[in-house]
Amino acid sequence: MIVSQVPLAEGKSVQQTVELLSRKLEQMGAEKQGTFYVDCETYHTAGASMGTTGQTGKLLYVMHNSEYPLSTFALFENGPCLVADLNLDVLMVKLKGFFQNAKANKMETRGTRYQYCDFLVKIGTVTMGQSGRGISVEVDYCPCAVPGDCWNLMVEFMQSFMGNNAPSVPPIFSAKHDSLYTPADTMVQYMELLNKIRKQQQGSVAGMR
C-alpha cells in the first residue's frame, strides 16, 4: 500500500543494506513468501515525426508487477493509469511510429516477499542496466483497503524495521484518504520511485562530468 526508497546504510552497499533490512524483518519473525519484481519501460511520444518539433514529448511508462501477472500498466506522468492485459505490450511495438522505447532507461526492482502477521513486505534492489541503483520497500496491510484507516498502524510497523527511514504520508494517500486503494495506486508510487532514483543517477553522473 506504500512504496518508498530506503537510503544506503552508512558505509554499506545496496546489497548489504538489503541484507540488513531483511535480517531485521526475520528477527521480528517475518517469513519469506517467495520473490517479486516490478519493471518499468519508458516510451517517448514521437512528437517530431508528427510535425510538433520543438515541443517536449510526453513520457509514457509501461509497467508490470509480479503480483498481477496478467496485467500491463500504462502511466503518463501526472496523468491517468491504464490497466490492460498483456496484449498492450504487443500493441506498443505496433505503435512505434507514435511511441519510441527508450531502452537505456529500463528499470526494475526485484527481491523477496515477507509476511509478518497481517503485513506483506517486499524489499527490492532497484537496477538500471546491470547495476544496483537503490532500494525499494513496499508495505501492505492486507486487511485494509482504505489508506486513512490504517496509516498510523503502518507507520508504527515500518518504524520497527526501517527506523528513521520510515516514509511520510505519500501524496496518493492524501488524494485517496477515505476511498478504496487499487493496484494502479501502487504502480503510480513505483513509477515515482523509479523516476526519482533515475534522476538521482543522472544528477550524480552530470556532477562527475
Side-chain angles (χ1 to χ4, degrees), residues 107 128 132-134 196-206:
M107 295 183 76
M128 187 173 174
R133 304 293 188 178
K196 179 181 169 188
I197 292 174
R198 180 189 293 118
K199 286 169 184 169
Q200 287 170 348
Q201 292 301 314
Q202 289 170 342
S204 62
V205 169

Side-chain angles (χ1 to χ4, degrees), residues 78-121:
N78 305 318
C81 175
L82 170 70
V83 185
D85 62 24
L86 297 177
N87 285 326
L88 181 64
D89 297 308
V90 178
L91 183 62
M92 292 306 297
V93 174
K94 294 180 178 179
L95 290 175
K96 61 186 178 184
F98 300 95
F99 293 100
Q100 295 171 348
N101 189 337
K103 289 191 180 347
N105 282 339
K106 182 173 181 179
M107 295 183 76
E108 64 178 27
T109 181
R110 289 178 178 268
T112 305
R113 300 165 87 252
Y114 289 92
Q115 188 81 38
Y116 177 75
C117 300
D118 287 329
F119 290 98
L120 178 63
V121 183

Side-chain angles (χ1 to χ4, degrees), residues 119 141 146-159 169 173 177:
F119 290 98
Y141 181 57
V146 180
D149 290 350
C150 56
W151 174 248
N152 290 337
L153 183 62
M154 290 183 67
V155 169
E156 192 175 328
F157 170 66
M158 289 186 290
Q159 286 172 343
V169 181
F173 269 42
H177 190 268

Side-chain angles (χ1 to χ4, degrees), residues 181-200:
Y181 187 88
T182 68
D185 297 322
T186 296
M187 300 310 287
V188 168
Q189 290 188 76
Y190 269 112
M191 178 195 74
E192 291 170 348
L193 171 84
L194 295 175
N195 269 341
K196 179 181 169 188
I197 292 174
R198 180 189 293 118
K199 286 169 184 169
Q200 287 170 348

